[in-house]
Amino acid sequence: MLPVDYCVNVLEGLYEMASWTSERYVRLWDYEVELKIEFSPELEEIESRCCGFNCFMYYCLRTEHVYNAFYERFDHGFVLVENEDFQRNGFDGHDCSGCRHKDPLFLLVNHNRFHSPENQRKKMASLRLERELFKFYDDNAMTQKTIRDRNIVIDKIHGMVENSRSCPPNFKVEFFGSTRTRLASDSSDLDLAIVIPQNINADRETLKRLKDMRDSIYNMHFLASKLREMGMTNVEAIQGARVPICKFVDPETGLHCDLNAASALGVENSQLIDEYRKLDTRVGPFLYALKYFVKQRDINDNQRGTLSSYAYCLLGIYYLMNHDHDSPIIPNLHNFKSNGDECPGYGCKIGIRNHVVENQQVRYHDCIEVISDSKYQIKKEKRRQGSVRTQWDGFCLDDLGKIMLDFFKWASKIENLTTHISIRYSGMDIPNVPDKWFKKSMVIQDPFILSKNVASSCSELGLNRILAEFQRAAHLLEETDMTFVDMCNSRSALGSYSQLSRTAVEVPFRVDKPRNKKNKNRFRHRMQQNNNQNMGGNFNNHTNDEYISFH
Ligand SMILES: [Zn+2]
Ligand SMILES: [Zn+2]
Ligand SMILES: [Zn+2]
């Protein structure tokens, strides 16, 4: 995290320059020139962080805890006047109608803009929501007992496969789905996969042959008979499904289970989500709340025109990567340029060029070491002495309540949900976009099967229902004192719901489809910035349109 003191020290230069002038302002660009005249360690430091000078300044100037520290030290507030748009509309409560400056401008004012009664009220509300969401996750996500129960079942299945005559060597029984992502509740189904390394890359023909063999674990009827033998109840073999599974109930723990022998990628998907969850304490409660919300609001059914839980998880992760341009909550682990150390590729999935699961490349950093002191980040102990890990120092300190509310607002806008969403290529253009994606209501790219749209189940009607529900949530959380759980369950707001729903239905006909490639991904500029840095290009190439707010 960027130390607050460091930011305020850099702002001190701005403060001094501004306080010398009678109009109490300084142009940001003048200050940068000033810094550049002489070699300054500050400038060097700034340019190695974020994506250059402007990004750093914008971070400092817009970040509440930096602002408050500044106010405390200098007894002065400031506004950042960015461009003509802000002259018209003002910035955070400061009326800029009289301002005549066009450049990004640092202007001293004599009040603390974060201390207005309106801001205080918002802050209290979002902190209340944050407390609720953390508690909701702690109280309802898997308890120690159910983790024990789940391990009991996995051991039984492992023993069963091992003892069957056709047991392949080196097989593993793995959790996947919500048990692996740690987003399960005690009552969630248990998803289990038998993973066999040497058959992982087997072609379809081989798998089909194995499926038809009488005593192969790929044959669900064979698995079912084995499960019955060991005393499992309600055993049901579903051989014809795209992924054949066996359903059963373990009588000892009461857990409802799905077992299959063809979900090596399902295991990888879940593992990836879990890697993100482990980077920051806000991720788990955020995704858990989102899953709960979509379930309660009945927009979580890929058989009926809306989305699967997996699709919502990817949507949520994508949002967290892009919540704040200059300080994302989580990085893109598939394509991460660290400001600190970076792993050399050994002992990390990013380095395994031939790590192919079900014919798909599985490459991302699973080696992240969190180095910031942010209260939201989870420090992991070093894995091994001497091994270099990729360092991540996220410095977004927005509270979870604000993030949740901002997410609902973002997801209320059709142009955001209809952009091609990809956590694999977040911040970049998606290469080789299949033509059929342009006809889809929603596109969420699978992080490993790159031609797969996990939102392909979403119908136009479904999209409108999803938008209406997100609008309703944003409205109720912002305008009323309703708790999150009440918001999810209340029917009292149905009146405004149908009203919102009608609005949402009309919207698709008004929205222009993105005309050129550049608009397809709103966050690609970060990638361009990285390229510039790699090529040693200069940093001062932000244009105004890069600062179009994410929200
Ligand atoms: Zn930037
Ligand atoms: Zn002004
Ligand atoms: Zn790595």
Side-chain angles (χ1 to χ4, degrees):
M1 189 169 84
L2 287 169
V4 174
D5 278 352
Y6 174 76
C7 297
V8 177
N9 285 344
V10 176
L11 293 184
E12 182 170 10
L14 274 170
Y15 170 74
E16 282 180 358
M17 273 179 88
S19 54
W20 292 334
T21 69
S22 55
E23 283 162 305
R24 321 279 285 163
Y25 73 80
V26 57
R27 281 194 185 78
L28 228 47
W29 296 340
D30 291 345
Y31 184 57
E32 187 183 359
V33 170
E34 188 89 353
L35 280 177
K36 275 186 171 162
I37 288 174
E38 282 175 69
F39 168 81
S40 97
E42 272 114 341
L43 189 64
E44 184 138 305
E45 176 74 23
I46 289 170
E47 293 196 337
S48 71
R49 290 187 182 260
C50 302
C51 41
F53 181 81
N54 274 8
C55 244
F56 173 81
M57 295 312 293
Y58 277 65
Y59 169 75
C60 292
L61 296 172
R62 282 172 163 169
T63 305
E64 183 174 348
H65 58 277
V66 175
Y67 186 95
N68 287 340
F70 180 94
Y71 190 81
E72 230 163 74
R73 195 188 304 179
F74 301 111
D75 206 21
H76 257 289
F78 58 78
V79 284
L80 173 69
V81 184
E82 278 181 289
N83 54 32
E84 288 172 272
D85 186 46
F86 278 98
Q87 288 182 44
R88 270 200 308 279
N89 301 317
F91 184 75
D92 285 344
H94 170 80
D95 175 15
C96 279
S97 52
C99 290
R100 58 194 185 288
H101 312 285
K102 282 192 175 174
D103 307 346
L105 195 76
F106 173 89
L107 176 69
L108 291 173
V109 293
N110 56 10
H111 61 272
N112 184 337
R113 62 186 154 88
F114 286 106
H115 288 173
S116 73
E118 176 63 11
N119 270 318
Q120 288 294 316
R121 194 190 62 78
K122 275 191 189 157
K123 186 81 194 164
M124 296 307 287
S126 70
L127 287 175
R128 200 168 55 229
L129 179 56
E130 171 175 80
R131 271 196 305 278
E132 185 194 352
L133 294 179
F134 274 119
K135 186 168 185 315
F136 186 57
Y137 182 64
D138 284 346
D139 290 351
N140 295 286
M142 297 195 297
T143 60
Q144 287 305 317
K145 177 183 180 303
T146 187
I147 293 172
R148 268 200 312 277
D149 283 354
R150 279 156 205 260
N151 281 317
I152 290 173
V153 177
I154 210 170
D155 285 346
K156 285 184 189 173
I157 300 301
H158 193 274
M160 179 270 283
V161 179
E162 205 169 40
N163 291 329
S164 77
R165 238 191 8 261
S166 56
C167 166
N170 297 327
F171 77 96
K172 279 193 261 180
V173 180
E174 303 251 27
F175 298 124
F176 69 105
S178 57
T179 306
R180 196 169 189 108
T181 60
R182 297 286 178 139
L183 298 172
S185 310
D186 283 359
S187 60
S188 301
D189 284 0
L190 173 59
D191 294 315
L192 292 170
I194 302 170
V195 179
I196 302 141
Q198 63 265 50
N199 283 345
I200 279 170
N201 300 324
D203 55 61
R204 272 198 196 143
E205 289 307 306
T206 318
L207 281 175
K208 199 162 174 288
R209 243 193 350 269
L210 285 167
K211 218 169 94 177
D212 293 337
M213 270 165 60
R214 207 162 48 86
D215 58 353
S216 150
I217 51 145
Y218 287 96
N219 183 335
M220 291 303 123
H221 297 296
F222 172 74
L223 262 191
S225 67
K226 285 284 165 193
L227 289 166
R228 283 192 199 98
E229 260 173 42
M230 62 190 288
M232 297 299 180
T233 58
N234 299 46
V235 180
E236 188 189 349
I238 304 174
Q239 177 83 332
R242 195 176 52 81
V243 177
I245 59 169
C246 235
K247 286 180 166 298
F248 64 93
V249 176
D250 173 55
E252 182 186 347
T253 61
L255 279 170
H256 290 243
C257 310
D258 288 352
L259 174 64
N260 75 59
S263 253
L265 262 183
V267 174
E268 292 289 350
N269 293 337
S270 313
Q271 186 60 38
L272 178 65
I273 293 172
D274 195 43
E275 292 294 337
Y276 281 115
R277 185 192 60 80
K278 287 189 288 190
L279 293 179
D280 189 293
T281 53
R282 290 166 293 190
V283 178
F286 174 84
L287 294 178
Y288 188 78
L290 176 58
K291 279 184 66 176
Y292 179 79
F293 169 80
V294 296
K295 195 162 183 202
Q296 298 310 107
R297 301 312 302 170
D298 197 23
I299 49 171
N300 182 200
D301 189 344
N302 54 1
Q303 307 292 314
R304 284 174 36 231
T306 53
L307 301 176
S308 66
S309 300
Y310 177 51
Y312 282 114
C313 272
L314 295 181
L315 179 70
I317 287 173
Y318 175 81
Y319 178 77
L320 295 176
M321 284 177 184
N322 294 289
H323 165 74
D324 183 333
H325 159 80
D326 296 322
S327 49
I329 293 156
I330 45 177
N332 178 353
L333 293 178
H334 280 97
N335 193 311
F336 179 43
K337 296 272 167 279
S338 175
N339 289 327
D341 290 342
E342 230 166 280
C343 78
Y346 325 124
C348 168
K349 279 184 185 162
I350 200 93
I352 314 176
R353 258 167 229 293
N354 55 2
H355 189 217
V356 175
V357 178
E358 291 175 22
N359 300 320
Q360 306 297 331
Q361 284 267 3
V362 173
R363 289 182 70 192
Y364 62 89
H365 283 290
D366 62 346
C367 68
I368 300 292
E369 177 193 358
V370 175
I371 57 171
S372 91
D373 290 324
S374 156
K375 63 175 173 175
Y376 291 117
Q377 295 193 325
I378 307 163
K379 283 213 172 183
K380 285 193 269 182
E381 68 287 5
K382 287 229 173 208
R383 189 162 26 186
R384 253 184 299 120
Q385 280 292 315
S387 71
V388 178
R389 300 176 58 179
T390 303
Q391 294 182 328
W392 160 243
D393 67 343
F395 41 79
C396 178
L397 281 185
D398 287 349
D399 64 75
L400 181 58
K402 175 174 161 44
I403 293 167
M404 198 81 228
L405 179 58
D406 285 351
F407 168 77
F408 281 130
K409 287 183 184 169
W410 175 82
S412 300
K413 297 201 178 109
I414 188 164
E415 65 270 28
N416 292 333
L417 288 196
T418 52
T419 191
H420 290 172
I421 288 165
S422 167
I423 66 166
R424 169 71 183 77
Y425 291 109
S426 173
M428 291 171 258
D429 277 337
I430 303 174
N432 309 321
V433 175
D435 282 343
K436 62 181 176 193
W437 284 11
F438 291 99
K439 298 182 196 116
K440 284 288 176 186
S441 296
M442 264 188 94
V443 173
I444 301 176
Q445 184 184 41
D446 188 272
F448 300 122
I449 309 173
L450 300 179
S451 61
K452 183 172 169 188
N453 171 15
V454 303
S456 66
S457 60
C458 184
S459 66
E460 201 165 320
L461 196 65
L463 174 61
N464 285 323
R465 279 184 50 219
I466 291 168
L467 285 166
E469 285 296 346
F470 284 141
Q471 284 167 10
R472 170 188 173 277
H475 171 77
L476 290 177
L477 289 179
E478 191 163 47
E479 307 295 335
T480 72
D481 286 338
M482 210 178 263
T483 65
F484 181 82
V485 171
D486 284 348
M487 180 277 287
C488 291
N489 294 298
S490 105
R491 264 171 286 180
S492 62
L494 272 178
S496 59
Y497 164 81
S498 57
Q499 192 187 345
L500 285 164
S501 170
R502 270 201 302 279
T503 320
V505 172
E506 286 165 16
V507 172
F509 305 106
R510 290 194 207 130
V511 168
D512 295 332
K513 286 279 173 202
R515 267 181 303 270
N516 58 38
K517 255 194 153 183
K518 194 177 171 161
N519 288 336
K520 255 188 263 153
N521 197 319
R522 319 180 69 199
F523 312 108
R524 71 201 289 271
H525 117 270
R526 196 179 312 148
M527 185 57 193
Q528 291 171 339
Q529 290 291 321
N530 282 336
N531 287 343
N532 288 342
Q533 277 180 353
N534 295 342
M535 295 182 298
N538 81 67
F539 298 90
N540 190 17
N541 54 4
H542 282 266
T543 56
N544 281 337
D545 66 331
E546 284 169 3
Y547 284 104
I548 292 169
S549 162
F550 176 73
H551 306 292

